[in-house]
Amino acid sequence: GESVGLHLPTLSVQEGDNSIINCAYSNSASDYFIWYKQESGKGPQFIIDIRSNMDKRQGQRVTVLLNKTVKHLSLQIAATQPGDSAVYFCAENIGYGNKLVFGAGTILRVKS
Amino acid sequence: EPEVTQTPSHQVTQMGQEVILRCVPISNHLYFYWYRQILGQKVEFLVSFYNNEISEKSEIFDDQFSVERPDGSNFTLKIRSTKLEDSAMYFCASSGLAEMSEQFFGPGTRLTVL
């Protein structure tokens, strides 16, 4: 079956440190992956995406790495700030219809 | 910056009642979606909609659910006879022309079924 899962449910980091959030996916046919940030009481907010023909993509303070061999996705946040505290979801695009399958979510807590 | 909007922000209903959740997608988007999130759980896909028809739906989206784009701006999700387990946050999303393009999510409607 299809599933996307996260290794760590909660991650606590010190302000200024780098954060790494991991995700495993099971559908080798998935060709598009997205990281979303969700703050309390809000909808998921797009952070960064990557297509399966790439293994790395960088944004502002964020980097997504894709390892198709082991079906692993990671989100790196540089110089983590208190405003980064949220739940982070990875999602994969499966099939016609642009269906997104979300992972379970990782809580990121940034300590000042 | 354009955004997806949803109304109401919170809907309380009695079990067995019909509810309609409303969404206004971003104006030039062509793909529309509904997802739900039960408290403390992951976001789950319900349905995608393109060119005035359902593109794909999940097992959750049974005969009690329906979607409609009644005019050029609104996109609605109807639950005909609500059950306790329908209590969740319901998110509308939209995306642009291309497949595999970013889906923009609305703020959600919290549905509470009593």
Side-chain angles (χ1 to χ4, degrees), chain B residues 25-59:
Chain B
I26 293 173
S27 62
N28 62 346
H29 283 182
L30 298 179
Y31 293 86
F32 314 112
Y33 315 86
W34 284 100
Y35 292 83
R36 79 171 187 190
Q37 185 178 33
I38 294 171
L39 184 64
Q41 297 186 23
K42 63 183 179 181
V43 177
E44 299 175 289
F45 171 82
L46 292 178
V47 65
S48 59
F49 191 87
Y50 171 72
N51 200 25
N52 283 321
E53 61 183 20
I54 291 174
S55 302
E56 190 168 356
K57 59 183 181 180
S58 71
E59 293 176 353

PDB file of all heavy atoms in Angstrom, chain B residues 25-59:
ATOM      1  N   PRO B  25     -11.320  29.128  -3.846  1.00  0.00           N
ATOM      2  CA  PRO B  25      -9.936  28.875  -4.250  1.00  0.00           C
ATOM      3  C   PRO B  25      -9.293  30.130  -4.846  1.00  0.00           C
ATOM      4  O   PRO B  25      -9.970  31.130  -5.095  1.00  0.00           O
ATOM      5  CB  PRO B  25     -10.087  27.788  -5.321  1.00  0.00           C
ATOM      6  CG  PRO B  25     -11.465  27.244  -5.153  1.00  0.00           C
ATOM      7  CD  PRO B  25     -12.280  28.374  -4.630  1.00  0.00           C
ATOM      8  N   ILE B  26      -8.015  30.055  -5.080  1.00  0.00           N
ATOM      9  CA  ILE B  26      -7.306  31.143  -5.747  1.00  0.00           C
ATOM     10  C   ILE B  26      -7.847  31.253  -7.174  1.00  0.00           C
ATOM     11  O   ILE B  26      -8.042  30.248  -7.862  1.00  0.00           O
ATOM     12  CB  ILE B  26      -5.784  30.894  -5.704  1.00  0.00           C
ATOM     13  CG1 ILE B  26      -5.329  30.989  -4.242  1.00  0.00           C
ATOM     14  CG2 ILE B  26      -5.034  31.885  -6.583  1.00  0.00           C
ATOM     15  CD1 ILE B  26      -3.889  30.599  -4.002  1.00  0.00           C
ATOM     16  N   SER B  27      -8.050  32.471  -7.626  1.00  0.00           N
ATOM     17  CA  SER B  27      -8.913  32.725  -8.783  1.00  0.00           C
ATOM     18  C   SER B  27      -8.450  32.081 -10.080  1.00  0.00           C
ATOM     19  O   SER B  27      -9.266  31.668 -10.870  1.00  0.00           O
ATOM     20  CB  SER B  27      -9.085  34.227  -8.985  1.00  0.00           C
ATOM     21  OG  SER B  27      -7.838  34.826  -9.248  1.00  0.00           O
ATOM     22  N   ASN B  28      -7.194  31.973 -10.350  1.00  0.00           N
ATOM     23  CA  ASN B  28      -6.770  31.413 -11.630  1.00  0.00           C
ATOM     24  C   ASN B  28      -6.366  29.954 -11.534  1.00  0.00           C
ATOM     25  O   ASN B  28      -5.783  29.391 -12.470  1.00  0.00           O
ATOM     26  CB  ASN B  28      -5.623  32.247 -12.217  1.00  0.00           C
ATOM     27  CG  ASN B  28      -4.400  32.250 -11.331  1.00  0.00           C
ATOM     28  OD1 ASN B  28      -4.478  31.856 -10.164  1.00  0.00           O
ATOM     29  ND2 ASN B  28      -3.273  32.682 -11.860  1.00  0.00           N
ATOM     30  N   HIS B  29      -6.684  29.327 -10.415  1.00  0.00           N
ATOM     31  CA  HIS B  29      -6.375  27.918 -10.253  1.00  0.00           C
ATOM     32  C   HIS B  29      -7.452  27.047 -10.891  1.00  0.00           C
ATOM     33  O   HIS B  29      -8.618  27.433 -10.984  1.00  0.00           O
ATOM     34  CB  HIS B  29      -6.220  27.582  -8.774  1.00  0.00           C
ATOM     35  CG  HIS B  29      -4.906  28.021  -8.211  1.00  0.00           C
ATOM     36  ND1 HIS B  29      -4.532  27.776  -6.900  1.00  0.00           N
ATOM     37  CD2 HIS B  29      -3.861  28.668  -8.775  1.00  0.00           C
ATOM     38  CE1 HIS B  29      -3.322  28.264  -6.708  1.00  0.00           C
ATOM     39  NE2 HIS B  29      -2.899  28.813  -7.820  1.00  0.00           N
ATOM     40  N   LEU B  30      -7.023  25.849 -11.289  1.00  0.00           N
ATOM     41  CA  LEU B  30      -7.934  24.957 -11.986  1.00  0.00           C
ATOM     42  C   LEU B  30      -8.170  23.640 -11.258  1.00  0.00           C
ATOM     43  O   LEU B  30      -9.094  22.908 -11.594  1.00  0.00           O
ATOM     44  CB  LEU B  30      -7.399  24.657 -13.390  1.00  0.00           C
ATOM     45  CG  LEU B  30      -7.250  25.871 -14.316  1.00  0.00           C
ATOM     46  CD1 LEU B  30      -6.679  25.432 -15.656  1.00  0.00           C
ATOM     47  CD2 LEU B  30      -8.597  26.572 -14.518  1.00  0.00           C
ATOM     48  N   TYR B  31      -7.301  23.314 -10.305  1.00  0.00           N
ATOM     49  CA  TYR B  31      -7.430  22.072  -9.549  1.00  0.00           C
ATOM     50  C   TYR B  31      -7.863  22.415  -8.136  1.00  0.00           C
ATOM     51  O   TYR B  31      -7.320  23.326  -7.514  1.00  0.00           O
ATOM     52  CB  TYR B  31      -6.100  21.318  -9.480  1.00  0.00           C
ATOM     53  CG  TYR B  31      -5.596  20.765 -10.787  1.00  0.00           C
ATOM     54  CD1 TYR B  31      -4.832  21.540 -11.651  1.00  0.00           C
ATOM     55  CD2 TYR B  31      -5.868  19.449 -11.152  1.00  0.00           C
ATOM     56  CE1 TYR B  31      -4.362  21.032 -12.847  1.00  0.00           C
ATOM     57  CE2 TYR B  31      -5.397  18.931 -12.353  1.00  0.00           C
ATOM     58  CZ  TYR B  31      -4.644  19.720 -13.191  1.00  0.00           C
ATOM     59  OH  TYR B  31      -4.181  19.209 -14.375  1.00  0.00           O
ATOM     60  N   PHE B  32      -8.819  21.657  -7.625  1.00  0.00           N
ATOM     61  CA  PHE B  32      -9.351  21.934  -6.294  1.00  0.00           C
ATOM     62  C   PHE B  32      -9.398  20.630  -5.499  1.00  0.00           C
ATOM     63  O   PHE B  32      -9.608  19.551  -6.065  1.00  0.00           O
ATOM     64  CB  PHE B  32     -10.751  22.553  -6.387  1.00  0.00           C
ATOM     65  CG  PHE B  32     -10.842  23.652  -7.405  1.00  0.00           C
ATOM     66  CD1 PHE B  32     -11.593  23.498  -8.553  1.00  0.00           C
ATOM     67  CD2 PHE B  32     -10.141  24.838  -7.217  1.00  0.00           C
ATOM     68  CE1 PHE B  32     -11.649  24.504  -9.500  1.00  0.00           C
ATOM     69  CE2 PHE B  32     -10.194  25.846  -8.170  1.00  0.00           C
ATOM     70  CZ  PHE B  32     -10.951  25.685  -9.319  1.00  0.00           C
ATOM     71  N   TYR B  33      -9.214  20.788  -4.189  1.00  0.00           N
ATOM     72  CA  TYR B  33      -9.081  19.606  -3.349  1.00  0.00           C
ATOM     73  C   TYR B  33      -9.751  19.834  -1.998  1.00  0.00           C
ATOM     74  O   TYR B  33      -9.861  20.957  -1.519  1.00  0.00           O
ATOM     75  CB  TYR B  33      -7.595  19.311  -3.052  1.00  0.00           C
ATOM     76  CG  TYR B  33      -6.688  19.414  -4.242  1.00  0.00           C
ATOM     77  CD1 TYR B  33      -6.144  20.640  -4.606  1.00  0.00           C
ATOM     78  CD2 TYR B  33      -6.367  18.294  -4.996  1.00  0.00           C
ATOM     79  CE1 TYR B  33      -5.304  20.757  -5.703  1.00  0.00           C
ATOM     80  CE2 TYR B  33      -5.522  18.398  -6.100  1.00  0.00           C
ATOM     81  CZ  TYR B  33      -4.996  19.637  -6.440  1.00  0.00           C
ATOM     82  OH  TYR B  33      -4.162  19.733  -7.534  1.00  0.00           O
ATOM     83  N   TRP B  34     -10.148  18.718  -1.389  1.00  0.00           N
ATOM     84  CA  TRP B  34     -10.532  18.717   0.016  1.00  0.00           C
ATOM     85  C   TRP B  34      -9.697  17.664   0.739  1.00  0.00           C
ATOM     86  O   TRP B  34      -9.512  16.540   0.234  1.00  0.00           O
ATOM     87  CB  TRP B  34     -12.017  18.404   0.211  1.00  0.00           C
ATOM     88  CG  TRP B  34     -12.917  19.550  -0.112  1.00  0.00           C
ATOM     89  CD1 TRP B  34     -13.636  19.745  -1.254  1.00  0.00           C
ATOM     90  CD2 TRP B  34     -13.201  20.680   0.725  1.00  0.00           C
ATOM     91  NE1 TRP B  34     -14.344  20.914  -1.178  1.00  0.00           N
ATOM     92  CE2 TRP B  34     -14.104  21.511   0.016  1.00  0.00           C
ATOM     93  CE3 TRP B  34     -12.804  21.073   2.007  1.00  0.00           C
ATOM     94  CZ2 TRP B  34     -14.599  22.709   0.546  1.00  0.00           C
ATOM     95  CZ3 TRP B  34     -13.296  22.258   2.530  1.00  0.00           C
ATOM     96  CH2 TRP B  34     -14.172  23.064   1.797  1.00  0.00           C
ATOM     97  N   TYR B  35      -9.211  18.081   1.896  1.00  0.00           N
ATOM     98  CA  TYR B  35      -8.490  17.191   2.798  1.00  0.00           C
ATOM     99  C   TYR B  35      -9.132  17.327   4.172  1.00  0.00           C
ATOM    100  O   TYR B  35      -9.812  18.308   4.468  1.00  0.00           O
ATOM    101  CB  TYR B  35      -7.014  17.606   2.916  1.00  0.00           C
ATOM    102  CG  TYR B  35      -6.190  17.424   1.671  1.00  0.00           C
ATOM    103  CD1 TYR B  35      -6.198  18.376   0.653  1.00  0.00           C
ATOM    104  CD2 TYR B  35      -5.377  16.304   1.512  1.00  0.00           C
ATOM    105  CE1 TYR B  35      -5.435  18.213  -0.496  1.00  0.00           C
ATOM    106  CE2 TYR B  35      -4.594  16.129   0.371  1.00  0.00           C
ATOM    107  CZ  TYR B  35      -4.638  17.090  -0.621  1.00  0.00           C
ATOM    108  OH  TYR B  35      -3.866  16.920  -1.754  1.00  0.00           O
ATOM    109  N   ARG B  36      -8.877  16.345   5.026  1.00  0.00           N
ATOM    110  CA  ARG B  36      -9.339  16.503   6.394  1.00  0.00           C
ATOM    111  C   ARG B  36      -8.231  16.070   7.345  1.00  0.00           C
ATOM    112  O   ARG B  36      -7.319  15.315   6.979  1.00  0.00           O
ATOM    113  CB  ARG B  36     -10.614  15.700   6.660  1.00  0.00           C
ATOM    114  CG  ARG B  36     -10.374  14.224   6.901  1.00  0.00           C
ATOM    115  CD  ARG B  36     -11.620  13.523   7.363  1.00  0.00           C
ATOM    116  NE  ARG B  36     -11.311  12.148   7.743  1.00  0.00           N
ATOM    117  CZ  ARG B  36     -12.221  11.231   8.006  1.00  0.00           C
ATOM    118  NH1 ARG B  36     -13.512  11.536   7.958  1.00  0.00           N
ATOM    119  NH2 ARG B  36     -11.856  10.017   8.352  1.00  0.00           N
ATOM    120  N   GLN B  37      -8.329  16.571   8.559  1.00  0.00           N
ATOM    121  CA  GLN B  37      -7.342  16.240   9.587  1.00  0.00           C
ATOM    122  C   GLN B  37      -8.070  16.042  10.906  1.00  0.00           C
ATOM    123  O   GLN B  37      -8.575  17.017  11.492  1.00  0.00           O
ATOM    124  CB  GLN B  37      -6.296  17.349   9.705  1.00  0.00           C
ATOM    125  CG  GLN B  37      -5.167  17.038  10.672  1.00  0.00           C
ATOM    126  CD  GLN B  37      -4.131  18.152  10.704  1.00  0.00           C
ATOM    127  OE1 GLN B  37      -4.440  19.317  10.540  1.00  0.00           O
ATOM    128  NE2 GLN B  37      -2.869  17.786  10.934  1.00  0.00           N
ATOM    129  N   ILE B  38      -8.144  14.804  11.330  1.00  0.00           N
ATOM    130  CA  ILE B  38      -8.681  14.518  12.649  1.00  0.00           C
ATOM    131  C   ILE B  38      -7.658  14.990  13.678  1.00  0.00           C
ATOM    132  O   ILE B  38      -6.450  14.886  13.450  1.00  0.00           O
ATOM    133  CB  ILE B  38      -8.988  13.023  12.788  1.00  0.00           C
ATOM    134  CG1 ILE B  38     -10.125  12.654  11.817  1.00  0.00           C
ATOM    135  CG2 ILE B  38      -9.363  12.656  14.208  1.00  0.00           C
ATOM    136  CD1 ILE B  38     -10.389  11.180  11.689  1.00  0.00           C
ATOM    137  N   LEU B  39      -8.139  15.491  14.805  1.00  0.00           N
ATOM    138  CA  LEU B  39      -7.278  16.102  15.806  1.00  0.00           C
ATOM    139  C   LEU B  39      -6.090  15.212  16.147  1.00  0.00           C
ATOM    140  O   LEU B  39      -6.257  14.042  16.516  1.00  0.00           O
ATOM    141  CB  LEU B  39      -8.098  16.416  17.059  1.00  0.00           C
ATOM    142  CG  LEU B  39      -7.370  17.144  18.176  1.00  0.00           C
ATOM    143  CD1 LEU B  39      -6.934  18.534  17.705  1.00  0.00           C
ATOM    144  CD2 LEU B  39      -8.236  17.244  19.415  1.00  0.00           C
ATOM    145  N   GLY B  40      -4.900  15.778  15.995  1.00  0.00           N
ATOM    146  CA  GLY B  40      -3.685  15.056  16.365  1.00  0.00           C
ATOM    147  C   GLY B  40      -3.195  14.064  15.335  1.00  0.00           C
ATOM    148  O   GLY B  40      -2.206  13.377  15.574  1.00  0.00           O
ATOM    149  N   GLN B  41      -3.887  14.002  14.199  1.00  0.00           N
ATOM    150  CA  GLN B  41      -3.490  13.025  13.188  1.00  0.00           C
ATOM    151  C   GLN B  41      -3.003  13.723  11.921  1.00  0.00           C
ATOM    152  O   GLN B  41      -2.954  14.952  11.857  1.00  0.00           O
ATOM    153  CB  GLN B  41      -4.665  12.092  12.891  1.00  0.00           C
ATOM    154  CG  GLN B  41      -5.104  11.268  14.099  1.00  0.00           C
ATOM    155  CD  GLN B  41      -6.162  10.243  13.759  1.00  0.00           C
ATOM    156  OE1 GLN B  41      -6.304   9.827  12.609  1.00  0.00           O
ATOM    157  NE2 GLN B  41      -6.910   9.817  14.762  1.00  0.00           N
ATOM    158  N   LYS B  42      -2.635  12.937  10.941  1.00  0.00           N
ATOM    159  CA  LYS B  42      -2.093  13.521   9.725  1.00  0.00           C
ATOM    160  C   LYS B  42      -3.210  14.003   8.811  1.00  0.00           C
ATOM    161  O   LYS B  42      -4.380  13.661   8.979  1.00  0.00           O
ATOM    162  CB  LYS B  42      -1.211  12.519   9.000  1.00  0.00           C
ATOM    163  CG  LYS B  42      -1.934  11.276   8.515  1.00  0.00           C
ATOM    164  CD  LYS B  42      -0.950  10.313   7.881  1.00  0.00           C
ATOM    165  CE  LYS B  42      -1.636   9.051   7.400  1.00  0.00           C
ATOM    166  NZ  LYS B  42      -0.679   8.090   6.806  1.00  0.00           N
ATOM    167  N   VAL B  43      -2.842  14.796   7.867  1.00  0.00           N
ATOM    168  CA  VAL B  43      -3.780  15.299   6.878  1.00  0.00           C
ATOM    169  C   VAL B  43      -4.100  14.172   5.885  1.00  0.00           C
ATOM    170  O   VAL B  43      -3.196  13.504   5.379  1.00  0.00           O
ATOM    171  CB  VAL B  43      -3.165  16.512   6.139  1.00  0.00           C
ATOM    172  CG1 VAL B  43      -4.103  17.011   5.054  1.00  0.00           C
ATOM    173  CG2 VAL B  43      -2.840  17.622   7.123  1.00  0.00           C
ATOM    174  N   GLU B  44      -5.390  14.003   5.597  1.00  0.00           N
ATOM    175  CA  GLU B  44      -5.822  12.911   4.711  1.00  0.00           C
ATOM    176  C   GLU B  44      -6.534  13.474   3.480  1.00  0.00           C
ATOM    177  O   GLU B  44      -7.413  14.338   3.604  1.00  0.00           O
ATOM    178  CB  GLU B  44      -6.807  11.996   5.431  1.00  0.00           C
ATOM    179  CG  GLU B  44      -6.270  11.308   6.670  1.00  0.00           C
ATOM    180  CD  GLU B  44      -7.361  10.532   7.380  1.00  0.00           C
ATOM    181  OE1 GLU B  44      -8.250  11.160   7.984  1.00  0.00           O
ATOM    182  OE2 GLU B  44      -7.338   9.282   7.318  1.00  0.00           O
ATOM    183  N   PHE B  45      -6.194  12.963   2.358  1.00  0.00           N
ATOM    184  CA  PHE B  45      -6.829  13.350   1.099  1.00  0.00           C
ATOM    185  C   PHE B  45      -8.268  12.844   1.050  1.00  0.00           C
ATOM    186  O   PHE B  45      -8.549  11.701   1.417  1.00  0.00           O
ATOM    187  CB  PHE B  45      -6.025  12.768  -0.058  1.00  0.00           C
ATOM    188  CG  PHE B  45      -6.661  12.904  -1.416  1.00  0.00           C
ATOM    189  CD1 PHE B  45      -6.560  14.083  -2.130  1.00  0.00           C
ATOM    190  CD2 PHE B  45      -7.357  11.842  -1.975  1.00  0.00           C
ATOM    191  CE1 PHE B  45      -7.130  14.201  -3.387  1.00  0.00           C
ATOM    192  CE2 PHE B  45      -7.931  11.947  -3.225  1.00  0.00           C
ATOM    193  CZ  PHE B  45      -7.815  13.136  -3.940  1.00  0.00           C
ATOM    194  N   LEU B  46      -9.164  13.697   0.590  1.00  0.00           N
ATOM    195  CA  LEU B  46     -10.547  13.278   0.375  1.00  0.00           C
ATOM    196  C   LEU B  46     -10.856  13.189  -1.121  1.00  0.00           C
ATOM    197  O   LEU B  46     -11.299  12.156  -1.614  1.00  0.00           O
ATOM    198  CB  LEU B  46     -11.523  14.273   1.020  1.00  0.00           C
ATOM    199  CG  LEU B  46     -11.542  14.335   2.543  1.00  0.00           C
ATOM    200  CD1 LEU B  46     -12.523  15.404   3.015  1.00  0.00           C
ATOM    201  CD2 LEU B  46     -11.931  12.983   3.121  1.00  0.00           C
ATOM    202  N   VAL B  47     -10.643  14.306  -1.832  1.00  0.00           N
ATOM    203  CA  VAL B  47     -11.094  14.359  -3.214  1.00  0.00           C
ATOM    204  C   VAL B  47     -10.337  15.439  -3.965  1.00  0.00           C
ATOM    205  O   VAL B  47      -9.915  16.442  -3.387  1.00  0.00           O
ATOM    206  CB  VAL B  47     -12.615  14.624  -3.248  1.00  0.00           C
ATOM    207  CG1 VAL B  47     -12.944  16.005  -2.682  1.00  0.00           C
ATOM    208  CG2 VAL B  47     -13.192  14.445  -4.641  1.00  0.00           C
ATOM    209  N   SER B  48     -10.148  15.216  -5.260  1.00  0.00           N
ATOM    210  CA  SER B  48      -9.633  16.252  -6.139  1.00  0.00           C
ATOM    211  C   SER B  48     -10.643  16.483  -7.263  1.00  0.00           C
ATOM    212  O   SER B  48     -11.394  15.576  -7.647  1.00  0.00           O
ATOM    213  CB  SER B  48      -8.268  15.884  -6.709  1.00  0.00           C
ATOM    214  OG  SER B  48      -8.346  14.667  -7.435  1.00  0.00           O
ATOM    215  N   PHE B  49     -10.633  17.694  -7.782  1.00  0.00           N
ATOM    216  CA  PHE B  49     -11.681  18.136  -8.706  1.00  0.00           C
ATOM    217  C   PHE B  49     -11.042  18.976  -9.787  1.00  0.00           C
ATOM    218  O   PHE B  49     -10.281  19.903  -9.505  1.00  0.00           O
ATOM    219  CB  PHE B  49     -12.694  18.967  -7.901  1.00  0.00           C
ATOM    220  CG  PHE B  49     -13.970  19.304  -8.607  1.00  0.00           C
ATOM    221  CD1 PHE B  49     -15.036  18.429  -8.577  1.00  0.00           C
ATOM    222  CD2 PHE B  49     -14.129  20.527  -9.244  1.00  0.00           C
ATOM    223  CE1 PHE B  49     -16.245  18.755  -9.184  1.00  0.00           C
ATOM    224  CE2 PHE B  49     -15.324  20.859  -9.858  1.00  0.00           C
ATOM    225  CZ  PHE B  49     -16.388  19.975  -9.823  1.00  0.00           C
ATOM    226  N   TYR B  50     -11.335  18.631 -11.041  1.00  0.00           N
ATOM    227  CA  TYR B  50     -10.768  19.366 -12.171  1.00  0.00           C
ATOM    228  C   TYR B  50     -11.744  19.326 -13.320  1.00  0.00           C
ATOM    229  O   TYR B  50     -12.364  18.295 -13.588  1.00  0.00           O
ATOM    230  CB  TYR B  50      -9.417  18.744 -12.573  1.00  0.00           C
ATOM    231  CG  TYR B  50      -8.850  19.283 -13.861  1.00  0.00           C
ATOM    232  CD1 TYR B  50      -8.334  20.577 -13.912  1.00  0.00           C
ATOM    233  CD2 TYR B  50      -8.834  18.511 -15.017  1.00  0.00           C
ATOM    234  CE1 TYR B  50      -7.824  21.088 -15.094  1.00  0.00           C
ATOM    235  CE2 TYR B  50      -8.319  19.017 -16.198  1.00  0.00           C
ATOM    236  CZ  TYR B  50      -7.806  20.290 -16.245  1.00  0.00           C
ATOM    237  OH  TYR B  50      -7.296  20.796 -17.403  1.00  0.00           O
ATOM    238  N   ASN B  51     -11.891  20.442 -13.974  1.00  0.00           N
ATOM    239  CA  ASN B  51     -12.748  20.507 -15.166  1.00  0.00           C
ATOM    240  C   ASN B  51     -14.167  20.044 -14.842  1.00  0.00           C
ATOM    241  O   ASN B  51     -14.782  19.298 -15.607  1.00  0.00           O
ATOM    242  CB  ASN B  51     -12.133  19.660 -16.286  1.00  0.00           C
ATOM    243  CG  ASN B  51     -12.663  20.029 -17.659  1.00  0.00           C
ATOM    244  OD1 ASN B  51     -13.116  21.154 -17.880  1.00  0.00           O
ATOM    245  ND2 ASN B  51     -12.634  19.080 -18.579  1.00  0.00           N
ATOM    246  N   ASN B  52     -14.632  20.481 -13.702  1.00  0.00           N
ATOM    247  CA  ASN B  52     -16.006  20.224 -13.263  1.00  0.00           C
ATOM    248  C   ASN B  52     -16.334  18.761 -13.002  1.00  0.00           C
ATOM    249  O   ASN B  52     -17.504  18.357 -13.077  1.00  0.00           O
ATOM    250  CB  ASN B  52     -17.022  20.795 -14.258  1.00  0.00           C
ATOM    251  CG  ASN B  52     -17.153  22.298 -14.111  1.00  0.00           C
ATOM    252  OD1 ASN B  52     -17.126  22.828 -13.002  1.00  0.00           O
ATOM    253  ND2 ASN B  52     -17.267  22.987 -15.228  1.00  0.00           N
ATOM    254  N   GLU B  53     -15.302  17.994 -12.685  1.00  0.00           N
ATOM    255  CA  GLU B  53     -15.583  16.625 -12.293  1.00  0.00           C
ATOM    256  C   GLU B  53     -14.520  16.130 -11.319  1.00  0.00           C
ATOM    257  O   GLU B  53     -13.428  16.684 -11.245  1.00  0.00           O
ATOM    258  CB  GLU B  53     -15.674  15.709 -13.507  1.00  0.00           C
ATOM    259  CG  GLU B  53     -14.425  15.630 -14.339  1.00  0.00           C
ATOM    260  CD  GLU B  53     -14.627  14.746 -15.569  1.00  0.00           C
ATOM    261  OE1 GLU B  53     -15.777  14.522 -15.974  1.00  0.00           O
ATOM    262  OE2 GLU B  53     -13.609  14.268 -16.097  1.00  0.00           O
ATOM    263  N   ILE B  54     -14.872  15.093 -10.591  1.00  0.00           N
ATOM    264  CA  ILE B  54     -13.942  14.515  -9.641  1.00  0.00           C
ATOM    265  C   ILE B  54     -12.839  13.780 -10.396  1.00  0.00           C
ATOM    266  O   ILE B  54     -13.101  12.967 -11.277  1.00  0.00           O
ATOM    267  CB  ILE B  54     -14.678  13.547  -8.691  1.00  0.00           C
ATOM    268  CG1 ILE B  54     -15.606  14.335  -7.754  1.00  0.00           C
ATOM    269  CG2 ILE B  54     -13.693  12.717  -7.888  1.00  0.00           C
ATOM    270  CD1 ILE B  54     -16.487  13.468  -6.879  1.00  0.00           C
ATOM    271  N   SER B  55     -11.585  14.106 -10.051  1.00  0.00           N
ATOM    272  CA  SER B  55     -10.437  13.429 -10.649  1.00  0.00           C
ATOM    273  C   SER B  55     -10.090  12.156  -9.886  1.00  0.00           C
ATOM    274  O   SER B  55      -9.769  11.134 -10.475  1.00  0.00           O
ATOM    275  CB  SER B  55      -9.214  14.345 -10.641  1.00  0.00           C
ATOM    276  OG  SER B  55      -9.468  15.531 -11.330  1.00  0.00           O
ATOM    277  N   GLU B  56     -10.128  12.286  -8.576  1.00  0.00           N
ATOM    278  CA  GLU B  56      -9.783  11.151  -7.736  1.00  0.00           C
ATOM    279  C   GLU B  56     -10.440  11.341  -6.383  1.00  0.00           C
ATOM    280  O   GLU B  56     -10.640  12.473  -5.944  1.00  0.00           O
ATOM    281  CB  GLU B  56      -8.265  11.041  -7.571  1.00  0.00           C
ATOM    282  CG  GLU B  56      -7.796   9.756  -6.902  1.00  0.00           C
ATOM    283  CD  GLU B  56      -6.295   9.555  -7.011  1.00  0.00           C
ATOM    284  OE1 GLU B  56      -5.623  10.368  -7.660  1.00  0.00           O
ATOM    285  OE2 GLU B  56      -5.808   8.557  -6.443  1.00  0.00           O
ATOM    286  N   LYS B  57     -10.782  10.245  -5.744  1.00  0.00           N
ATOM    287  CA  LYS B  57     -11.340  10.321  -4.398  1.00  0.00           C
ATOM    288  C   LYS B  57     -10.800   9.177  -3.561  1.00  0.00           C
ATOM    289  O   LYS B  57     -10.402   8.140  -4.079  1.00  0.00           O
ATOM    290  CB  LYS B  57     -12.866  10.299  -4.429  1.00  0.00           C
ATOM    291  CG  LYS B  57     -13.451   9.064  -5.084  1.00  0.00           C
ATOM    292  CD  LYS B  57     -14.969   9.165  -5.145  1.00  0.00           C
ATOM    293  CE  LYS B  57     -15.555   7.912  -5.790  1.00  0.00           C
ATOM    294  NZ  LYS B  57     -17.041   7.980  -5.860  1.00  0.00           N
ATOM    295  N   SER B  58     -10.790   9.394  -2.260  1.00  0.00           N
ATOM    296  CA  SER B  58     -10.274   8.382  -1.349  1.00  0.00           C
ATOM    297  C   SER B  58     -11.419   7.508  -0.847  1.00  0.00           C
ATOM    298  O   SER B  58     -12.598   7.771  -1.096  1.00  0.00           O
ATOM    299  CB  SER B  58      -9.560   9.043  -0.178  1.00  0.00           C
ATOM    300  OG  SER B  58     -10.501   9.666   0.679  1.00  0.00           O
ATOM    301  N   GLU B  59     -11.034   6.492  -0.088  1.00  0.00           N
ATOM    302  CA  GLU B  59     -12.035   5.596   0.503  1.00  0.00           C
ATOM    303  C   GLU B  59     -12.926   6.332   1.496  1.00  0.00           C
ATOM    304  O   GLU B  59     -14.067   5.938   1.738  1.00  0.00           O
ATOM    305  CB  GLU B  59     -11.333   4.431   1.204  1.00  0.00           C
ATOM    306  CG  GLU B  59     -10.611   3.491   0.250  1.00  0.00           C
ATOM    307  CD  GLU B  59      -9.855   2.410   0.988  1.00  0.00           C
ATOM    308  OE1 GLU B  59      -9.769   2.460   2.235  1.00  0.00           O
ATOM    309  OE2 GLU B  59      -9.339   1.496   0.307  1.00  0.00           O
TER     310      GLU B  59
END
